[in-house]
Amino acid sequence: DIQMTQSPSTLSASVGDRVTITCRARQSISTWLAWYQQKPGKAPKLLIYKASSLQSGVPSRFSGSGSGTEFTLTISSLQPDDFATYYCQQYGSYSTFGQGTKVEIK
Amino acid sequence: QVTLRESGPALVKPTQTLTLTCTFSGFSLSTSGMCVNWIRQPPGKALEWLARIDWDDDKYYTPSLKTRLTISKDTSKNQVVLTMTNMDPVDTATYYCARNAAAGTLGYWGQGTLVTVSS
């Protein structure tokens, strides 16, 4: 398995803040990295694929970057609907998820 | 419109075998490039990818559970079945099936089904 490590585990922020979440892979996965948003009791929603490609219908305030072993998800201006848990997923070798980052209201 | 729905027992006893069915619509698993995955999430914990079956019947399993998992498809019924043997209380989780969007990503999800393992 390729282990994925997200940081931070929890992030407290206010509406309008710029938020950055980091995901590190134990070995290079090129750009085979996706980001998901999950709200309580709901299935995850795909936000970003291939490290930086925005899934159709996802607001442009979400962006992704990185390659190799280090990746980031950025929310440029946090909105009330964005308070949720975010997961990275590598799909370069089988598939593994990070442990999640909960974005909560400050 | 792509939809997926998981079904199976809500409660299983330790050592039993779990059988989950993913019934889908809006696509055919015989179409090139399509695949269906199983993912689980213990209460309050992170997502864990379990298995995948491709349109050409290639199958992939998470290495840590490979000996306990079997994935199969019935294209005529639009179903994918996951079996997990020797269930343990630590296997208590919500189990999701999901179809790929871009290669390897999970763009379409079912609502999930909670499976509790308890005697």
Side-chain angles (χ1 to χ4, degrees):
Chain A
D1 288 22
I2 298 178
Q3 185 177 348
M4 306 299 292
T5 303
Q6 282 182 239
S7 61
S9 296
T10 306
L11 188 160
S12 298
S14 302
V15 173
D17 284 354
R18 181 181 181 87
V19 166
T20 299
I21 300 168
T22 298
C23 180
R24 290 185 173 87
R26 179 181 283 181
Q27 63 191 75
S28 178
I29 56 170
S30 183
T31 55
W32 302 116
L33 191 283
W35 290 97
Y36 298 83
Q37 177 194 68
Q38 187 180 33
K39 297 183 178 178
K42 300 293 187 183
K45 172 187 174 184
L46 176 65
L47 301 175
I48 301 283
Y49 64 96
K50 213 156 185 302
S52 61
S53 296
L54 194 67
Q55 175 70 355
S56 176
V58 174
S60 58
R61 63 180 180 273
F62 291 92
S63 64
S65 65
S67 65
T69 61
E70 188 153 338
F71 303 86
T72 58
L73 172 71
T74 300
I75 308 172
S76 60
S77 178
L78 198 64
Q79 298 302 301
D81 191 48
D82 301 338
F83 291 98
T85 300
Y86 293 83
Y87 292 94
C88 62
Q89 175 217 10
Q90 71 80 18
Y91 52 99
S93 175
Y94 299 99
S95 182
T96 44
F97 289 91
Q99 80 276 20
T101 296
K102 183 178 181 180
V103 177
E104 60 181 26
I105 300 173
K106 190 172 184 179
Chain B
Q1 179 189 1
V2 174
T3 65
L4 303 99
R5 186 182 75 252
E6 307 87 353
S7 59
L11 179 66
V12 298
K13 294 185 183 337
T15 76
Q16 287 186 336
T17 294
L18 171 68
T19 299
L20 294 171
T21 301
C22 176
T23 303
F24 55 85
S25 63
F27 68 98
S28 171
L29 199 42
S30 60
T31 299
S32 176
M34 292 295 156
C35 61
V36 172
N37 299 255
W38 284 95
I39 304 97
R40 70 178 179 179
Q41 185 172 39
K45 296 189 177 181
L47 300 163
E48 179 182 21
W49 177 81
L50 300 177
R52 181 183 114 197
I53 189 164
D54 291 355
W55 66 278
D56 57 0
D57 211 36
D58 280 348
K59 300 164 187 175
Y60 305 86
Y61 299 97
T62 188
S64 61
L65 293 171
K66 183 175 182 177
T67 59
R68 297 176 54 204
L69 295 173
T70 303
I71 192 169
S72 62
K73 64 181 173 71
D74 186 330
T75 303
S76 65
K77 293 183 178 178
N78 282 351
Q79 291 182 333
V80 170
V81 174
L82 182 75
T83 63
M84 180 180 290
T85 62
N86 195 24
M87 293 292 285
D88 183 272
V90 299
D91 297 313
T92 293
T94 296
Y95 287 76
Y96 295 98
C97 63
R99 199 209 86 176
N100 63 312
T105 61
L106 307 168
Y108 304 90
W109 294 69
Q111 84 280 8
T113 186
L114 176 62
V115 178
T116 301
V117 184
S118 174
S119 55

